[in-house]
Amino acid sequence: MIHVGIAIAILMGSLLLGVSIPFAFGAGTIYMYTMLGGTFATTLPVGFNGINTMVLLAIPTFIMAGGFIEKGKVGDELVSVVEMLVGRFRGGLMLAVSYASAIFGAICGSAAATCSCIGSIMAPKLKMAGYSKGLSAALISSSAPLGLLIPPSSLMIMYAWVYGESVLACFLSTVIPGVCLATLLGVVGMILAQREGVQPLENWVPIYSAPGLKKTWHATPALLLPVIILGGIYGGVMTPTEAACVSTLYCIPVAIYIYRGMKWSDAPEILKETGTTTGVIMVMLFFVSMLSRYFIYEDLPGALVDMIYLFTTNKNVILLMMNVFMIIMGMLMDDGSALLLSTPILVPIAKEIGVSPIHFAAILGVNLGMGNVTPPCAPMLYLGARVVGTDASHSMKPTLLLILFAWLPTLLVVTYVPGFSLWLPNIFGF
């Protein structure tokens, strides 16, 4: 077990020193390979077999679709419709930010893309409406990780791949938590905005008015995108991989010919970004497959279960300890790395105490999403501040309030009320 501890220390130390994520996992794998006397004949096939799956094809295609959506002004249309629905309320733009982030995240599945796209659209609107920059940055940052929960989510695809679960079941487990969290973030944001004295939009256009119906009609192609993706997956018409391909093919004409937000000359840049991101993910997954196998050889999950049982056998206390661990992981590293490190270690422990892997998918998603905005690391917090054009210190207080009154209640309910995340999977027979 000492070799496992050293391997994890090498991995964590490399990440904290700024080593590229795939190479950090590779360093831990090479150490285990050297210390345990591995051979290429037994080690490399584990890595190649791990990434040789159709499920992972969904990741690059969703990344590509997200690129076309971000550059094609699809987000503008989504925001305009949400604004018409909630703009009449004091602080209603806070709901617009959270719901627009949820919808956009459901399409592209990326927290960073959601933060940069929705943030760049909403920041000027929020400023004109009298919202403080600190509150605006806080809500944009806190809403960005909704893309990790609202399907389709690259995070859930990787989780399903790591533990061999149904991708659809993992998607379904995060739907209700994601929608409830989006609502809570918007409501808490509204209350904070009202305390700042924000008034309803002066130029609000009702969605049922003639201009509102015209805007809605113009936004229909953008609104159909999540319907096609989610309807196709949940209706059994398409697998997640097929839905990803269809969404990409649908996004191209919508972005180029309908909304004219980009040109064909922008496509090579999107393909380059897709290839770069996919290459990083695949190399990382290659090393994770081998490192996870070594952890299993060393019976790391069993050793951790025995260690935990020395302190407590109470299921609720163990779940609390696991939540704290995952939040810390989310604070210290990106969500993909935290998931790939946490899943092989924590899922066997969760199963040991009677938590199903599908339920744990929702717990993990909320934890890692919250880690993205929890200081001191909080990558989304700093990205949101940069998008809005303010210092991160100005958004710290409202961010902590959003965590306390939106993220934490959602996490507690997801953790200790299994039906909250398992109701939809059970309806679909999982």
Side-chain angles (χ1 to χ4, degrees):
M1 284 300 298
I2 189 172
H3 294 312
V4 173
I6 294 174
I8 293 175
I10 291 172
L11 169 60
M12 295 292 295
S14 300
L15 290 170
L16 292 174
L17 289 173
V19 176
S20 178
I21 295 169
F23 296 124
F25 278 97
T29 304
I30 291 171
Y31 174 81
M32 293 295 289
Y33 171 87
T34 304
M35 292 296 103
L36 298 182
T39 64
F40 286 126
T42 58
T43 303
L44 292 182
V46 173
F48 284 113
N49 290 335
I51 60 176
N52 185 26
T53 171
M54 287 289 292
V55 170
L56 294 181
L57 282 177
I59 294 177
T61 42
F62 274 129
I63 292 172
M64 191 185 306
F68 284 108
I69 291 165
E70 186 177 0
K71 294 184 183 297
K73 294 187 177 179
V74 177
D76 296 65
E77 303 301 325
L78 297 174
V79 168
S80 68
V81 173
V82 177
E83 271 185 7
M84 289 188 290
L85 292 172
V86 299
R88 63 179 297 183
F89 305 111
R90 286 184 62 201
L93 284 185
M94 296 284 98
L95 279 171
V97 170
S98 63
Y99 285 138
S101 297
I103 297 170
F104 188 85
I107 299 172
C108 73
S110 167
T114 302
C115 187
S116 59
C117 181
I118 300 299
S120 61
I121 296 169
M122 292 302 300
K125 297 176 181 288
L126 292 166
K127 182 179 179 181
M128 289 179 60
Y131 293 78
S132 68
K133 285 188 174 182
L135 178 58
S136 301
L139 191 70
I140 290 170
S141 302
S142 298
S143 301
L146 289 169
L148 306 179
L149 296 174
I150 307 291
S153 164
S154 298
L155 197 72
M156 289 298 107
I157 293 172
M158 284 195 286
Y159 176 87
W161 167 80
V162 170
Y163 216 74
E165 288 295 329
S166 165
V167 175
L168 178 56
C170 294
F171 280 175
L172 289 168
S173 70
T174 58
V175 171
I176 294 178
V179 172
C180 291
L181 177 59
T183 304
L184 272 177
L185 286 169
V187 169
V188 174
M190 281 181 65
I191 294 171
L192 294 176
Q194 289 170 5
R195 291 178 63 184
E196 291 184 350
V198 172
Q199 299 300 316
L201 290 176
E202 295 181 0
N203 57 347
W204 172 66
V205 178
I207 196 169
Y208 49 79
S209 65
L213 292 173
K214 184 178 180 180
K215 283 187 176 183
T216 304
W217 173 253
H218 191 254
T220 299
L223 295 172
L224 282 176
L225 188 53
V227 174
I228 292 171
I229 297 172
L230 302 180
I233 294 173
Y234 298 147
V237 179
M238 297 178 284
T239 66
T241 303
E242 292 165 345
C245 297
V246 170
S247 68
T248 303
L249 293 175
Y250 180 83
C251 287
I252 294 173
V254 169
I256 296 177
Y257 297 116
I258 296 180
Y259 297 132
R260 301 176 184 269
M262 58 172 291
K263 300 177 181 179
W264 280 109
S265 57
D266 297 319
E269 181 64 26
I270 295 173
L271 296 176
K272 178 183 176 182
E273 292 174 0
T274 301
T276 302
T277 306
T278 303
V280 170
I281 292 173
M282 296 307 287
V283 173
M284 182 168 61
L285 295 179
F286 175 75
F287 284 119
V288 165
S289 297
M290 296 184 288
L291 188 59
S292 300
R293 181 63 60 91
Y294 281 125
F295 286 167
I296 294 171
Y297 284 161
E298 291 291 286
D299 193 27
L300 174 60
L304 288 176
V305 169
D306 293 339
M307 186 184 302
I308 291 172
Y309 281 172
L310 290 176
F311 295 97
T312 181
T313 57
N314 186 293
K315 177 181 177 180
N316 293 331
V317 175
I318 295 173
L319 283 171
L320 178 63
M321 294 167 63
M322 294 168 70
N323 279 329
V324 171
F325 175 79
M326 287 184 283
I327 292 172
I328 294 172
M329 288 294 100
M331 290 166 55
L332 296 178
M333 59 183 73
D334 70 284
D335 43 66
S337 303
L339 178 141
L340 294 172
L341 180 61
S342 301
T343 302
I345 299 173
L346 297 182
V347 173
I349 299 174
K351 291 183 70 175
E352 180 71 22
I353 61 175
V355 177
S356 77
I358 297 174
H359 178 202
F360 190 76
I363 297 174
L364 184 67
V366 177
N367 270 295
L368 297 185
M370 187 166 69
N372 270 296
V373 294
T374 305
C377 294
M380 287 303 106
L381 181 63
Y382 297 106
L383 177 58
R386 190 165 70 246
V387 169
V388 173
T390 186
D391 192 88
S393 61
H394 297 155
S395 62
M396 197 68 70
K397 181 180 177 180
T399 297
L400 293 175
L401 291 173
L402 289 167
I403 291 172
L404 182 61
F405 294 108
W407 278 99
L408 275 178
T410 303
L411 177 59
L412 292 173
V413 173
V414 168
T415 301
Y416 295 111
V417 185
F420 190 63
S421 52
L422 293 178
W423 181 68
L424 274 180
N426 289 339
I427 287 179
F428 280 79
F430 293 103

